[in-house]
Amino acid sequence: MQYPVARRAVQTMVREHQRLSAVVNGMTRFVALLSAGAPAPEPMLMRAMLCYIREYPEQVHHPKEDKYLFARLRSRTDGLDDVIDELEAQHVAGEARVRDLERALTRYELTGYSAAPALRTLVDEYAAFYSHHRRLEEEVILPAALRFLTAADWMELDEAFGANRDPFSGSEIEGEMDRLFSLIVSTVSESIQ
């Protein structure tokens, strides 16, 4: 989606959504391989994907959306309250879904192929959940933010989201998340060739 005003916070949020989408797509490929009985990467790859989701979107991205973006929108209009309520509830539900995925992965690691269908179901549900969440944010919330937020609001959002430790920038602090994402992408790519 193209945004008429290039706001640093919007660019950061969209970039982070794209990165999370790549990880979620990797999860769906992983469980599809398991379900098909095809050679699949080691379960550690799925564990790395879940670690990425827990450490970045759940700990950095979503809390900033709640604290800055959603709060500012609530102060400027009440026409989005229902959507913001839904998104905030999804942020809480997302953490629970990740825990459920971790448990299902552990069951798969302990019992083998018989646990693969349950894991696939949870991954497919998470992928649909995340897709709906992302669409609401990018098609409803971000355009509304561009319409309703003030220059002062944008300064605060740009500063808050600009301070996000981007796991893909390669700095020493962010290097661990960068290496994790690279491992995920390269391993998933190799396994589907």
Side-chain angles (χ1 to χ4, degrees), residues 4 11 13-14 24 28 33 45 47 60 65 76 85 89 95 98-99 125 131 138 140 142 144 156 165 171 186 188 192:
Q11 292 169 341
M13 285 182 266
V14 169
V24 172
T28 59
L33 290 170
L45 175 64
R47 202 145 306 275
V60 177
E65 286 177 335
R76 301 291 175 225
D85 289 345
E95 291 181 35
V98 170
R99 281 192 305 274
E125 289 171 356
S131 178
E138 292 185 4
V140 177
L142 293 179
E156 182 179 33
R165 55 180 179 88
S171 74
S186 66
V188 169
I192 55 178

Side-chain angles (χ1 to χ4, degrees), residues 52-63:
Y52 175 84
I53 292 170
R54 181 175 295 289
E55 295 300 317
Y56 198 73
E58 297 296 338
Q59 300 299 318
V60 177
H61 179 85
H62 292 157

Side-chain angles (χ1 to χ4, degrees), residues 17 20 56-67 70 90-91 94 126 130 133 137:
H17 288 171
L20 179 54
Y56 198 73
E58 297 296 338
Q59 300 299 318
V60 177
H61 179 85
H62 292 157
K64 284 192 179 184
E65 286 177 335
D66 292 343
K67 182 177 180 179
F70 299 165
Q90 288 175 0
H91 286 172
Y126 184 83
Y130 173 69
H133 181 80
E137 287 184 350

Side-chain angles (χ1 to χ4, degrees), residues 175-189:
E176 183 178 329
M177 293 305 282
D178 185 28
R179 286 187 297 279
L180 179 59
F181 182 78
S182 295
L183 169 70
I184 291 166
V185 171
S186 66
T187 306
V188 169
S189 296

Side-chain angles (χ1 to χ4, degrees), residues 18-189:
Q18 291 167 341
R19 299 297 186 175
L20 179 54
S21 291
V23 172
V24 172
N25 288 338
M27 291 168 48
T28 59
R29 287 188 206 120
F30 178 87
V31 295
L33 290 170
L34 287 181
S35 296
E42 291 295 317
M44 182 56 77
L45 175 64
M46 177 65 90
R47 202 145 306 275
M49 290 184 259
L50 293 171
C51 175
Y52 175 84
I53 292 170
R54 181 175 295 289
E55 295 300 317
Y56 198 73
E58 297 296 338
Q59 300 299 318
V60 177
H61 179 85
H62 292 157
K64 284 192 179 184
E65 286 177 335
D66 292 343
K67 182 177 180 179
Y68 296 102
L69 178 63
F70 299 165
R72 294 306 160 267
L73 274 172
R74 283 188 193 277
S75 73
R76 301 291 175 225
T77 181
D78 58 2
L80 296 166
D81 287 350
D82 290 344
V83 175
I84 293 171
D85 289 345
E86 180 180 349
L87 289 169
E88 288 174 335
Q90 288 175 0
H91 286 172
V92 173
E95 291 181 35
R97 285 176 181 268
V98 170
R99 281 192 305 274
D100 290 345
L101 284 163
E102 289 169 335
R103 284 188 208 106
L105 178 59
T106 299
R107 279 191 294 280
Y108 169 76
E109 290 170 317
L110 294 173
T111 62
Y113 184 77
S114 66
L119 178 60
R120 182 174 187 167
T121 297
L122 288 174
V123 168
D124 290 345
E125 289 171 356
Y126 184 83
F129 167 82
Y130 173 69
S131 178
H132 173 69
H133 181 80
R134 179 180 175 178
R135 273 195 313 277
L136 276 179
E137 287 184 350
E138 292 185 4
E139 295 174 9
V140 177
I141 294 297
L142 293 179
L146 291 169
R147 198 171 44 239
F148 292 112
L149 298 185
T150 66
D153 293 333
W154 281 113
M155 286 178 59
E156 182 179 33
L157 266 76
D158 287 346
E159 182 178 326
F161 280 91
N164 280 9
R165 55 180 179 88
D166 181 351
F168 312 104
S169 69
S171 74
E172 274 186 50
I173 294 170
E174 294 123 13
E176 183 178 329
M177 293 305 282
D178 185 28
R179 286 187 297 279
L180 179 59
F181 182 78
S182 295
L183 169 70
I184 291 166
V185 171
S186 66
T187 306
V188 169
S189 296

